[in-house]
């Protein structure tokens, strides 16, 4: 079993949802970002999504776009992001870590080399937002053949006819984007989320994690009652954006992670 399968199976036995946290690799700089990454599991992150900085993150809202700009200004690249994973794995062999981003940097490195280095570094899965299932042979198929989970995004506009195509070749978990639009946008109604989870469950046995617009422990708890995972990104990244120092950035992200985790853990009583 992969780390992702193991983690979601453990949490199912505990009758609680996973807290999935997103941060951009190298934001605001390598050392601060690594300190945040290493601290996330201790403060309650069950699964970590690590963003691969890119010059044109078109699916992301202002918070994550600015995180990409900060990381790139600090000279973060894909090789350094993989190095962060290696350093993270020196102290943590259990927490699933997923790289999230766009195909361009992977293509630039070379798919074969990227897959090899990602596995060697300790990456568990990939979310590549601009590669539709029609392009599975470009990355999804070889990545899964090598042992990396490939996680798909589904949205409110993914209808029942399209869903089987989107879910074809999915593994790890399904990431449901609860709001049509960019990351950090408004949040969906709980009724809408409940219906969406039920619909996805008719199409797949994979765990369903819900993201976009979740910012508070209360919102996280509400989603945790309905889904297998709760994804929080922009709210954590805002802690970095608003910090006056590296220490403040680390404390802000990990402090919010702790609060979100408490909300998720108490959600089902």
């Amino acid at each position: 079993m992969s780390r992702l399968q193991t983690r979601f199976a453990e949490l199912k036995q505990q009758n609680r949802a996973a807290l999935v946290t997103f941060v951009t690799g190298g934001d605001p700089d390598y050392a601060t970002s690594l300190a945040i990454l290493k601290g996330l599991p201790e403060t309650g992150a069950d699964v970590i999504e690590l963003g691969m900085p890119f010059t044109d993150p078109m699916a992301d809202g202002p918070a994550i776009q600015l995180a990409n700009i900060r990381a790139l200004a600090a000279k973060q690249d894909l090789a350094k992001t993989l190095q962060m994973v290696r350093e993270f794995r020196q102290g943590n062999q259990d927490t699933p870590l997923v790289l999230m981003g766009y195909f361009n940097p992977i293509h630039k490195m070379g798919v074969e080399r990227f897959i090899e280095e990602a596995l060697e570094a300790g990456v568990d899965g990939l979310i590549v937002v601009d590669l539709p299932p029609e392009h599975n042979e470009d990355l999804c198929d070889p990545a899964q053949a090598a042992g990396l989970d490939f996680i798909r995004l589904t949205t409110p506009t993914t209808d029942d006819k399209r869903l089987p195509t989107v879910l074809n070749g999915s593994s790890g978990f399904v990431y449901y984007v609860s709001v049509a639009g960019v990351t950090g946008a408004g949040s969906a109604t709980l009724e809408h989320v409940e219906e969406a989870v039920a619909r996805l469950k008719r199409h797949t046995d994979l765990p369903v994690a819900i993201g976009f617009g979740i910012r508070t422990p209360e919102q996280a708890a509400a989603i945790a009652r309905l889904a297998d995972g709760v994804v929080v990104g922009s709210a954590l990244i805002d802690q970095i954006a608003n910090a006056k120092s590296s220490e403040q950035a680390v404390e802000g992200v990990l402090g919010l992670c702790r609060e979100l985790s408490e909300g998720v853990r108490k959600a089902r009583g």
Side-chain angles (χ1 to χ4, degrees), residues 11-71:
L11 295 177
K12 193 173 184 180
Q13 283 187 320
Q14 295 169 28
N15 188 33
R16 75 170 179 87
L19 174 61
V20 183
T21 57
F22 172 89
V23 289
T24 300
D27 174 32
D29 57 65
Y30 188 93
T32 308
S33 187
L34 184 61
I36 289 168
L37 187 63
K38 287 181 172 178
L40 283 169
E42 295 155 32
T43 49
D46 298 300
V47 177
I48 295 171
E49 291 176 6
L50 184 63
M52 301 177 277
F54 180 49
T55 49
D56 186 24
M58 71 267 190
D60 292 300
I64 294 175
Q65 284 189 15
L66 289 170
N68 276 266
I69 291 167
R70 288 192 297 268

Side-chain angles (χ1 to χ4, degrees), residues 4 7-8 11 16-23 40 44-50 96 98 100 127 151 173-175 208-211 214 228-233 236 257 260-261 264:
L4 279 165
R7 179 55 49 99
F8 277 106
L11 295 177
R16 75 170 179 87
L19 174 61
V20 183
T21 57
F22 172 89
V23 289
L40 283 169
D46 298 300
V47 177
I48 295 171
E49 291 176 6
L50 184 63
V98 174
M100 183 171 185
I127 301 173
I151 296 129
F173 62 94
V174 176
Y175 186 159
V208 176
I210 308 280
I214 300 162
D228 304 302
V230 179
V231 187
V232 182
L236 295 169
C257 181
L260 291 162
S261 172
V264 167

Side-chain angles (χ1 to χ4, degrees), residues 3 8 15 29 33 52 58 102 119 134 141-142 195 201 210 215 236 252 258:
R3 279 194 194 96
F8 277 106
N15 188 33
D29 57 65
S33 187
M52 301 177 277
M58 71 267 190
Y102 298 81
L119 280 168
E134 286 78 10
D141 295 346
E195 285 169 10
K201 293 283 188 185
I210 308 280
R215 305 191 68 84
L236 295 169
R258 194 176 276 112

